[in-house]
Amino acid sequence: MKADAIKIRFGAADGSFTFHQTRDDKPNPEHFKLHYESGYEIFLFLDGIGTYIIEGNRYELSPDSLLIMNSTELHALSISPDHPYERIVLTVKKDFLPPFLSHGVDFFRSIKYRKLGHGNLIQGELVRKKGILEHFQKLRHLLSQPGPEEEFVAKCVIVELLASINSIKESELLDAQSHKPAMTKIGELLEYINANLIEPLSLDVLAERFFLTKYHLCHIFKESTGYSINQYISHKRIHMADALMLEGYTPTQACFMTGFNSYSNFYKSYRKLTGRSPRHSKSE
């Protein structure tokens, strides 16, 4: 068996984007936990057998399928350990595009302006047909032996990639407008939680609002999303707290502004999910 190998790992000098292509010959499912990104993630699946769960929606992965995720979408990979797993992950920060390059065009619009967990997938057939693979091939070539010029050209390729994604997703939106599906109970629940994170969100409160027993509520949530209600709420509140602390609020202020009922609970949740103290959130 070949050892696991990272083919390419690159981070822009100005921190505006990262690119890595990774292959695990024997992937460990424990390494792929529920998480969110600090920027916009574009994920190209190359090989393996797995499912991505994004905000409660499950996406079956096939070769060359592509996923787009914004910084508020919780996601987790369920991957088979019995098949090699290869992917390319491009993470782009929100301030990636300088004003002179964007000219008022929001190249991130298809990643930003969606319901959480909806419209994340572009099927492999469409990825191949629309030239998305060629964009990734150019990036891989440019970033294999990068210099300042190659990095700048890579940014231009990323803009082309974003424009292609916008074109695909906007065509899909037009096709879907005539037959919108009804929102599921889980969809309603996720929407309610995200709109009321600073309010009490105990199982009793949610069960009463959605006319379900606590057992049934927990069961359908876990079955649909792959994680518990409390896990989901904790991740969302910690993400909100991080954003507040970046704006200058203290950890104590962020704690009570995000629905935690005590600093002790906030500290434990924060350290468990991020691996660091909230007081070090800015520096790390």
Side-chain angles (χ1 to χ4, degrees):
M1 179 185 297
K2 295 180 181 178
D4 294 352
I6 296 176
K7 293 187 176 181
I8 299 173
R9 184 178 291 275
F10 175 83
D14 61 2
S16 61
F17 75 94
T18 61
F19 176 98
H20 69 82
Q21 179 172 349
T22 311
R23 180 182 177 88
D24 298 326
D25 285 326
K26 193 168 180 60
N28 183 348
E30 292 298 314
H31 292 166
F32 307 102
K33 300 289 189 180
L34 183 68
H35 67 286
Y36 52 80
E37 300 296 333
S38 58
Y40 302 116
E41 181 177 329
I42 302 171
F43 171 95
L44 179 66
F45 184 74
L46 297 174
D47 193 16
I49 299 173
T51 303
Y52 233 116
I53 303 173
I54 306 173
E55 292 288 336
N57 280 342
R58 292 174 179 266
Y59 294 100
E60 296 297 330
L61 298 172
S62 59
D64 300 332
S65 57
L66 183 135
L67 290 167
I68 55 175
M69 289 161 277
N70 66 42
S71 60
T72 60
E73 289 181 302
L74 278 172
H75 49 278
L77 174 70
S78 175
I79 194 74
S80 168
D82 301 320
H83 194 285
Y85 167 46
E86 187 169 2
R87 67 283 192 190
I88 295 176
V89 180
L90 173 65
T91 304
V92 186
K93 294 297 180 69
K94 296 177 182 179
D95 58 357
F96 167 75
L97 293 171
F100 76 86
L101 186 58
S102 62
H103 291 290
V105 177
D106 190 347
F107 283 96
F108 295 117
R109 61 187 182 273
S110 293
I111 303 179
K112 288 162 61 176
Y113 302 121
R114 295 174 293 101
K115 279 193 172 183
L116 294 178
H118 291 261
N120 299 85
L121 177 69
I122 300 176
Q123 296 285 1
E125 181 180 358
L126 200 53
V127 168
R128 294 186 290 270
K129 181 180 178 181
K130 296 296 185 178
I132 299 288
L133 287 181
E134 283 77 4
H135 294 315
F136 279 98
Q137 288 165 1
K138 287 180 186 177
L139 286 173
R140 183 168 52 199
H141 174 72
L142 286 164
L143 301 176
S144 295
Q145 294 182 318
E149 185 171 320
E150 287 81 6
E151 183 173 323
F152 183 84
V153 176
K155 290 182 179 181
C156 296
V157 175
I158 293 172
V159 172
E160 289 186 291
L161 171 62
L162 292 169
S164 296
I165 291 171
N166 286 332
S167 176
I168 292 169
K169 300 310 292 184
E170 285 162 5
S171 294
E172 287 180 358
L173 184 61
L174 288 174
D175 292 340
Q177 281 180 340
S178 59
H179 51 280
K180 289 185 178 179
M183 186 176 285
T184 64
K185 182 69 77 174
I186 287 297
E188 293 175 3
L189 178 58
L190 289 169
E191 192 171 83
Y192 179 81
I193 289 172
N194 279 282
N196 295 276
L197 281 171
I198 64 173
E199 304 297 333
L201 291 172
S202 67
L203 290 179
D204 287 322
V205 168
L206 294 173
E208 181 177 353
R209 179 172 183 86
F210 289 92
F211 306 105
L212 298 168
T213 66
K214 287 190 288 185
Y215 171 80
H216 188 51
L217 179 70
C218 293
H219 176 73
I220 64 171
F221 194 94
K222 180 79 172 180
E223 186 177 53
S224 298
T225 67
Y227 37 85
S228 73
I229 292 176
N230 286 334
Q231 279 180 305
Y232 182 81
I233 293 171
S234 291
H235 272 86
K236 285 291 180 172
R237 285 175 168 167
I238 293 300
H239 183 267
M240 183 187 291
D242 261 337
L244 288 170
M245 287 186 286
L246 285 173
E247 291 177 13
Y249 290 95
T250 68
T252 301
Q253 289 171 321
C255 161
F256 293 105
M257 291 171 69
T258 52
F260 285 92
N261 56 14
S262 74
Y263 187 81
S264 174
N265 287 338
F266 169 69
Y267 184 90
K268 289 175 184 175
S269 296
Y270 193 97
R271 193 161 187 91
K272 180 179 180 181
L273 296 181
T274 68
R276 63 182 189 270
S277 162
R279 297 191 181 280
H280 297 141
S281 61
K282 289 184 180 180
S283 61
E284 298 181 9

